[in-house]
Amino acid sequence: MTRNKEHVEHYNTISKDIKFVSNSVIRLRILKELYEKPSNMKELTCVTDLSYSYVSSILSGLESKNMVCRKSNRFYLETSLKLQMENMIEFAILTNILEEIFNIIEGHVVDSLPKESIMEFHLLQDSILMESDGINADMLDNMIEANLREADRACCILPVYSDILNGALNGLAENGNYVELRVSENLSRIYDENSKAKYITAFKGKSNFLLIVTNRVMILGFFRDDGIFDKNRILISTGDDSLKWANNAFGYFKKN
């Protein structure tokens, strides 16, 4: 807990750097390599499997951000960036996780997550990206419904409304299970009219992420940059670390 508090204290000063870094898988790979050891152009082109000119362009951008410096023919991670990453979490772990879930982060809004949850992103390493095949538009809704039917309790942050999702949550509530919903203020009326959950609280403004956590599963989804919720891509996990991350995130959101 003490380390998490230290991470959050540093977040405001490094958030721009983190967003810049996490916006490119190639940038992540290069910085991860330099985090582990200084490297020359030949080594970096081998790691990324990209052309000399492309890697050179990426490095120029990193140099302009004062993240990388060149000494002789080798590139080094700037001390300030290395210290920033160490103040968050192990950078190697973070870059691995970001690479694994990059398909859901790229072009999606993640800034609305609680700061503490971003610091704990490494706990999501056992999560799986589920994607709709484009043919069965309700595939993910049905998958969420199936997981909820097997649950004993559910805590949800809901910026969207779905009849399928609401029906599954109502089934839980009608069976006497604990269901707590945090819903976007603009959806509070429809949930009040249609939900059987005992605990429903509206939050002001938009929350650009969906979170469902039960005793068995964690489900996480985001809005795209164009403001539309992406129901074709969600992260799902039954792992203990991911469940811990989701329960923490729900608690952080309530507190905030």
Side-chain angles (χ1 to χ4, degrees), residues 232-250:
N232 294 319
R233 292 183 182 87
I234 60 171
L235 286 175
I236 184 169
S237 177
T238 57
D240 290 340
D241 282 346
S242 288
L243 289 174
K244 177 181 178 181
W245 182 92
N247 280 299
N248 287 349
F250 189 79

Side-chain angles (χ1 to χ4, degrees), residues 19-35 41 43-62 67-68 77 91 95-96 98-100 102 106:
K19 291 171 189 175
F20 173 76
V21 167
S22 63
N23 203 32
S24 164
V25 171
I26 303 304
R27 201 177 290 143
L28 285 168
R29 288 176 182 165
I30 290 175
L31 287 176
K32 180 182 174 183
E33 184 71 13
L34 297 180
Y35 181 87
M41 281 293 297
E43 291 168 334
L44 292 174
T45 54
C46 289
V47 168
T48 59
D49 195 27
L50 294 169
S51 69
Y52 182 101
S53 60
Y54 192 81
V55 173
S56 178
S57 175
I58 294 290
L59 287 168
S60 294
L62 292 171
M67 294 182 172
V68 166
L77 204 64
F91 185 47
T95 53
N96 281 336
L98 288 174
E99 286 190 63
E100 289 175 11
F102 187 76
E106 183 182 27

Side-chain angles (χ1 to χ4, degrees), residues 141 144-145 148 156 158 160-170 191 210 212:
D141 275 339
I144 291 174
E145 179 186 32
L148 284 173
C156 308
L158 302 173
V160 293
Y161 179 84
S162 159
D163 285 330
I164 295 176
L165 171 59
N166 188 63
L169 290 169
N170 282 346
Y191 274 104
L210 173 143
I212 299 171

Side-chain angles (χ1 to χ4, degrees), residues 155-157 180 182 211 213 246-254:
C155 294
C156 308
I157 298 170
E180 181 177 356
R182 299 271 160 164
L211 177 66
V213 57
N247 280 299
N248 287 349
F250 189 79
Y252 297 142
F253 186 82
K254 286 177 63 175

Side-chain angles (χ1 to χ4, degrees), residues 113-129:
L113 284 169
K115 294 176 182 178
E116 300 92 334
S117 297
I118 295 175
M119 299 304 102
E120 295 174 352
F121 245 172
H122 59 288
L123 293 174
L124 293 176
Q125 58 188 317
D126 59 6
S127 61
I128 298 171
L129 177 64

